[in-house]
Amino acid sequence: MEMLNLEKELQSNSYPGRGIIIGRSADGTKAVTAYFIMGRSENSRNRVFVEDGEGIRTQAFDPAKLDRSEPDHLCAGACAR
């Protein structure tokens, strides 16, 4: 399998959107998984991941900036247990 340079891959893509990164720790003893999201609109960029007891979801980082006309862009379940 070809090893990719994550920094180079992300720099060459102006909008990667969301992604899943799967790999191994530097010493090769552990699996590593990461999930990321990006946003184009101010509302989408105002998201952070939080644990809620049932999994991981997104919520507004700054509720004062929340655009109520686009609620689906903000609050979504990212991972359930």
Side-chain angles (χ1 to χ4, degrees), residues 6 8-9 20 22 25 27 30 40 47 54 63 72:
L6 181 59
K8 182 179 175 184
E9 293 296 316
I20 299 172
I22 302 171
S25 59
D27 65 6
K30 296 176 181 67
R40 290 184 183 156
R47 298 178 292 187
E54 294 185 25
D72 292 343

Side-chain angles (χ1 to χ4, degrees), residues 17-42:
R18 64 184 69 216
I20 299 172
I21 301 166
I22 302 171
R24 285 186 267 173
S25 59
D27 65 6
T29 63
K30 296 176 181 67
V32 178
T33 305
Y35 174 70
F36 66 88
I37 54 175
M38 296 182 68
R40 290 184 183 156
S41 71
E42 183 174 357

Side-chain angles (χ1 to χ4, degrees), residues 23-76:
R24 285 186 267 173
S25 59
D27 65 6
T29 63
K30 296 176 181 67
V32 178
T33 305
Y35 174 70
F36 66 88
I37 54 175
M38 296 182 68
R40 290 184 183 156
S41 71
E42 183 174 357
N43 214 35
S44 291
R45 289 189 303 271
N46 187 31
R47 298 178 292 187
V48 293
F49 290 115
V50 294
E51 285 190 73
D52 66 4
E54 294 185 25
I56 300 170
R57 64 179 176 80
T58 58
Q59 75 177 28
F61 175 74
D62 182 351
K65 291 183 178 179
L66 181 59
D67 179 353
R68 305 268 180 223
S69 69
E70 294 185 309
D72 292 343
H73 286 104
L74 181 65
C75 302

